[in-house]
Amino acid sequence: MNVSGDGALIVLEGIDKTYDMGKAHQVKALVDLTMRVSSGDYIAIMGPSGSGKSTLMNIIGCLDTPTSGNYIFEGREISDCSEDELAHIRNIKIGFVFQVYNLLPRSPALANVELPLIYSGVPRDERKQRATETLTAVGMGERVKHKPSELSGGERQRVAIARALINKPSIILADEPTGNLDTKTSGEIMAIFDRLNEEGNTIIVVTHDPEIAEHTKRLVLLRDGQIQSDEEIKSRRNFS
Amino acid sequence: MGTKILIESVIMALRSLVTNKMRSILTTLGIVIGVMTVVVLISVVLGLNDYVANLLSSMGSNTFYVSKMNPMITSDEEWWDQRNRPDLELEYIDAIRRNCPHVEFVATRVITQKKISYKGRTTNYLFVLGTNEEIQNMDDMEVKSGRFVTVADELATSYICVLGYETRETLFGNTDPINKRVKIEGMPFTVVGTLDKLGSVFGQSRDNIVCIPITTFKKLYGLNQFMMLMVKPYGEGSPEPAIEEVRQLLRRMRGLRADEEDNFAIRTQEAMLSLFHSLTGAIFAVMIGVGGISLVVGGVGIMNIMLVSVTERTREIGIRKALGARRRDILFQFLTEAASLSLVGGILGILLGVGVVKLLSVNIGLPVSTPPWVIILGVTFSVLVGILFGIYPANKAARLHPIEALRFE
Ligand SMILES: Nc1ncnc2c1ncn2[C@@H]1O[C@H](COP(=O)(O)OP(=O)(O)O)[C@@H](O)[C@H]1O
Ligand SMILES: [Mg+2]
């Protein structure tokens, strides 16, 4: 099957991820997983704890490599990529949003959002300008000089989203982005993702919360490292 | 792209320096001490070199020195042997003048310490220099007013003296001392001249002196084993013919048989220079040792603190990698940080070193010289040490797996 020729953004085929825990013990985090993501998709991944959601996101995000199987990103076989090429893909093609924000604690919001641009060699002035614009777009225009410790959880996550967006990535990967937030703030964060998807961004969100999943258009259920179901969300709410 | 990351890294490095002040100070202490030591020792050695080179060139490069004892004595017996030799005699000077056709002139000096008084005022012990007219050709003593000791004074054993700058100030203040009578240990001397300021060397003022004719010196105090003849051959060529003439003359005058060894010492400038260079060579060796050891200690300190920093910032490294930093970006960041850290140490070391050099030159009168390349050397060395000892921690950081780094608590 020629998976790379059909225009999908992401094709995962027979992906295994096995962690070796000493001689005898192995953890199979993903087992023969096959999945495709098209441009413009808005996907929720749900499943019990330990079902492999984060592992899957890390592989899609090129932070980790599968033990076996094919991963084709924009028509390119990822397992052929060097470490530097993976770093480059992470830098300009992927926007990662983490549950724990993962901001640099001592740097102000602006510097945090600028960071990916430093690694793509964007000049200083342009960096400042784009970071300011992107922060403004997520409603943080007034907080560019604040350090993470001076921001609420929701605000930190907005900064993290701005950082993920700064290089106009092909896909935004959010691993439990609302896991540390209250319901109201979670709704606000999801509203940002909704809008980004409407603007054409491809987004995958991992969540435990069915209400969060209802923001998306497609739900993938994981169990024991395998896809249990993958279907369109019919009850999709219109939040906007 | 490199320079952008460089600037970011330097800024980050300096920021983390400021946030961890105490730690940074302790870390860079080794570098500070190492660079300071190097700056001070190089400045002193260069200063001494300049000083000696000046001194020797003012004497004429082929001048040689005759004394009773060899200053490069290596054992006690040798010292006692040489000590028991007969002292040099004043008659040698005139004999050399008359019998050695290769010799242009002979200067002499012998020193003792006495007090001088004028009216109510008395100086502390100062140097009384028994000498002759010719010394002016070999020393940097300049007559400020009046005249110096002359051959006529020497032949007449006159009770005249020439005052050093400080001696004149102490005894006469602003009044004119010429033709006044001072007393050197009770004996009256007529002041015939004064000297210009000479400054001080090794903490010794060279202006606290008084010069009298060598003959008068001998009559009052006797000559001693430190009496020295400074012999200048004609021209600028090899001193060997003149040395041979003087040697044979002295052997005759001191009644040595053909099979006996010389019982006096003749040293050329070359020999003095090689003595001096073996001394400065030793200082350089010590410098390389001390400086090298402190730099290594400093480097290990830097390595240690960088390893701590890498561990503390594992998560940050994970974040950077997740956002697209390549290995070499992380490597570069931590190398820059290590280099900045030791550069700060190096700059502190240079500042302290220059300060110590100033103190040495002002308070002890040590001749010093700190050319700009010493500072460039200090900066370069500290940066190199930082980079060298930063490689291991930086490489450790660069090789972290992004996921494992992000998981680090
Ligand atoms: N680095 C690792 N080493 C060993 N086992 C791991 C590692 N990462 C994940 N796992 C295991 O893989 C399985 C899937 O983990 P994960 O993808 O984090 O699940 P989820 O995000 O769905 O909770 C779990 O059993 C987990 O313990
Ligand atoms: Mg997870």
Side-chain angles (χ1 to χ4, degrees):
Chain A
M1 183 172 73
N2 180 6
V3 284
S4 56
D6 62 3
L9 176 64
I10 283 169
V11 178
L12 295 161
E13 217 189 10
I15 297 287
D16 288 304
K17 181 69 184 180
T18 310
Y19 292 106
D20 279 324
M21 311 292 290
K23 268 185 201 157
H25 191 54
Q26 278 192 333
V27 177
K28 288 183 190 297
L30 295 175
V31 184
D32 193 25
L33 183 141
T34 296
M35 175 183 174
R36 67 176 53 221
V37 178
S38 302
S39 202
D41 270 358
Y42 192 9
I43 304 173
I45 296 179
M46 296 187 74
S49 203
S51 58
K53 306 182 294 294
S54 294
T55 305
L56 177 58
M57 291 292 264
N58 291 340
I59 287 173
I60 295 176
C62 297
L63 280 169
D64 211 348
T65 46
T67 313
S68 63
N70 298 318
Y71 172 25
I72 291 134
F73 182 90
E74 292 188 334
R76 192 162 173 208
E77 178 58 62
I78 289 302
S79 55
D80 296 342
C81 287
S82 69
E83 223 188 276
D84 278 2
E85 285 169 328
L86 289 179
H88 186 63
I89 292 172
R90 291 198 294 270
N91 184 228
I92 62 166
K93 299 284 188 190
I94 308 224
F96 232 110
V97 178
F98 304 90
Q99 178 177 358
V100 291
Y101 323 120
N102 277 337
L103 299 172
L104 298 185
R106 286 189 293 265
S107 305
L110 194 71
N112 266 291
V113 176
E114 264 185 81
L115 206 48
L117 296 182
I118 291 179
Y119 296 118
S120 30
V122 175
R124 189 182 167 84
D125 289 344
E126 186 188 336
R127 264 179 3 228
K128 300 269 176 231
Q129 191 203 333
R130 275 169 65 183
T132 311
E133 282 169 12
T134 314
L135 276 166
T136 309
V138 296
M140 292 295 291
E142 308 285 296
R143 299 267 199 286
V144 294
K145 294 213 169 83
H146 288 60
K147 293 188 177 165
S149 58
E150 299 156 359
L151 298 171
S152 71
E155 287 173 328
R156 286 181 211 183
Q157 202 55 297
R158 284 168 192 260
V159 174
I161 292 171
R163 185 180 64 184
L165 290 173
I166 189 82
N167 251 335
K168 304 196 166 55
S170 304
I171 188 163
I172 295 161
L173 302 169
D175 192 350
E176 302 195 39
T178 59
N180 285 358
L181 303 176
D182 60 44
T183 316
K184 181 167 169 288
T185 315
S186 297
E188 288 165 10
I189 293 297
M190 288 314 293
I192 295 175
F193 284 125
D194 293 348
R195 196 190 75 222
L196 289 171
N197 178 246
E198 268 159 37
E199 289 166 8
N201 287 290
T202 312
I203 301 172
I204 304 180
V205 181
V206 169
T207 184
H208 282 297
D209 182 348
E211 275 196 38
I212 297 291
E214 281 173 11
H215 283 257
T216 67
K217 297 173 179 167
R218 177 177 158 194
L219 176 63
V220 175
L221 269 179
L222 277 189
R223 179 175 289 275
D224 300 332
Q226 289 182 299
I227 294 183
Q228 198 179 35
S229 70
D230 180 351
E231 50 203 25
E232 257 182 63
I233 296 181
K234 284 153 199 127
S235 63
R236 184 163 189 258
R237 296 204 222 159
N238 191 354
F239 293 90
S240 44
Chain B
M1 162 141 192
T3 55
K4 255 171 249 133
I5 292 184
L6 177 68
I7 294 166
E8 300 293 322
S9 307
V10 171
I11 292 171
M12 276 185 307
L14 294 180
R15 199 177 291 157
S16 75
L17 264 177
V18 172
T19 42
N20 299 314
K21 275 185 215 85
M22 196 59 207
R23 196 167 88 176
S24 312
I25 289 170
L26 290 176
T27 305
T28 56
L29 209 57
I31 304 281
V32 173
I33 292 172
V35 170
M36 186 183 83
T37 313
V38 170
V39 167
V40 170
L41 289 173
I42 289 185
S43 302
V44 169
V45 168
L46 290 178
L48 285 175
N49 273 336
D50 283 1
Y51 173 74
V52 168
N54 262 329
L55 199 69
L56 294 187
S57 80
S58 78
M59 290 177 178
S61 62
N62 57 357
T63 301
F64 59 92
Y65 309 85
V66 183
S67 55
K68 173 171 126 178
M69 296 169 75
N70 191 327
M72 286 172 266
I73 281 175
T74 49
S75 69
D76 269 10
E77 299 100 80
E78 211 178 333
W79 192 81
W80 281 110
D81 265 6
Q82 298 199 1
R83 189 119 202 194
N84 291 332
R85 292 168 167 181
D87 285 346
L88 296 188
E89 300 284 349
L90 261 192
E91 290 69 50
Y92 299 168
I93 299 176
D94 224 40
I96 293 173
R97 280 179 187 142
R98 278 185 280 108
N99 295 305
C100 302
H102 280 95
V103 172
E104 186 180 357
F105 55 79
V106 188
T108 185
R109 63 183 300 159
V110 60
I111 276 178
T112 187
Q113 288 190 306
K114 302 286 177 217
K115 289 181 173 178
I116 305 184
S117 57
Y118 175 67
K119 294 199 169 151
R121 292 181 216 184
T122 304
T123 64
N124 291 327
Y125 278 102
L126 49 69
F127 287 113
V128 175
L129 186 66
T131 186
N132 61 356
E133 182 174 333
E134 285 88 340
I135 195 141
Q136 283 186 98
N137 299 320
M138 311 196 145
D139 212 309
D140 46 1
M141 287 190 287
E142 297 280 351
V143 173
K144 185 179 153 83
S145 66
R147 62 174 179 81
F148 197 70
V149 177
T150 62
V151 177
D153 295 323
E154 184 190 332
L155 295 176
T157 318
S158 332
Y159 285 73
I160 57 104
C161 66
V162 178
L163 303 180
Y165 190 86
E166 267 184 56
T167 317
R168 180 188 59 76
E169 275 195 332
T170 316
L171 293 178
F172 291 93
N174 287 325
T175 61
D176 181 15
I178 304 291
N179 291 326
K180 301 274 161 42
R181 300 197 123 210
V182 296
K183 282 186 173 169
I184 304 178
E185 227 183 29
M187 289 300 293
F189 278 75
T190 306
V191 178
V192 296
T194 66
L195 296 175
D196 254 342
K197 200 173 172 69
L198 287 166
S200 57
V201 184
F202 307 117
Q204 288 272 5
S205 167
R206 297 179 58 209
D207 295 308
N208 245 331
I209 57 167
V210 56
C211 304
I212 64 173
I214 184 82
T215 43
T216 318
F217 189 104
K218 181 188 174 188
K219 187 169 162 194
L220 291 176
Y221 319 118
L223 299 178
N224 55 41
Q225 75 260 29
F226 301 115
M227 174 172 165
M228 183 157 70
L229 302 180
M230 289 158 273
V231 186
K232 172 77 178 72
Y234 279 105
E236 294 299 314
S238 160
E240 279 313 317
I243 289 177
E244 212 33 46
E245 284 169 4
V246 170
R247 211 165 75 86
Q248 295 308 337
L249 176 69
L250 260 57
R251 285 181 65 86
R252 254 191 340 265
M253 293 184 76
R254 289 161 83 85
L256 292 176
R257 291 190 313 271
D259 60 332
E260 280 178 311
E261 281 187 15
D262 289 349
N263 61 357
F264 53 94
I266 295 183
R267 284 163 292 134
T268 58
Q269 290 214 356
E270 225 169 293
M272 303 219 347
L273 262 182
S274 81
L275 172 72
F276 177 72
H277 283 144
S278 66
L279 180 78
T280 53
I283 298 182
F284 260 112
V286 168
M287 174 183 81
I288 290 167
V290 174
I293 288 169
S294 346
L295 285 177
V296 167
V297 169
V300 170
I302 298 265
M303 181 158 85
N304 201 39
I305 212 69
M306 289 308 296
L307 284 172
V308 172
S309 172
V310 168
T311 307
E312 279 177 357
R313 289 155 71 189
T314 302
R315 215 183 162 80
E316 173 191 325
I317 295 161
I319 294 171
R320 288 176 181 277
K321 288 205 147 188
L323 298 177
R326 295 159 301 177
R327 267 191 192 192
R328 76 180 89 124
D329 295 324
I330 302 294
L331 189 79
F332 195 74
Q333 180 189 334
F334 281 90
L335 279 184
T336 315
E337 199 169 311
S340 310
L341 202 63
S342 66
L343 176 63
V344 168
I347 290 173
L348 278 178
I350 288 170
L351 292 179
L352 280 176
V354 168
V356 170
V357 167
K358 261 254 137 55
L359 279 178
L360 288 177
S361 100
V362 171
N363 292 354
I364 315 185
L366 211 60
V368 294
S369 156
T370 314
W373 66 260
V374 174
I375 287 161
I376 294 166
L377 186 84
V379 168
T380 314
F381 249 90
S382 54
V383 169
L384 283 182
V385 166
I387 289 175
L388 193 67
F389 286 87
I391 287 175
Y392 175 65
N395 195 43
K396 202 173 157 179
R399 297 172 77 92
L400 285 172
H401 190 280
I403 292 296
E404 273 149 34
L406 277 173
R407 267 218 198 117
F408 187 83
E409 293 302 328

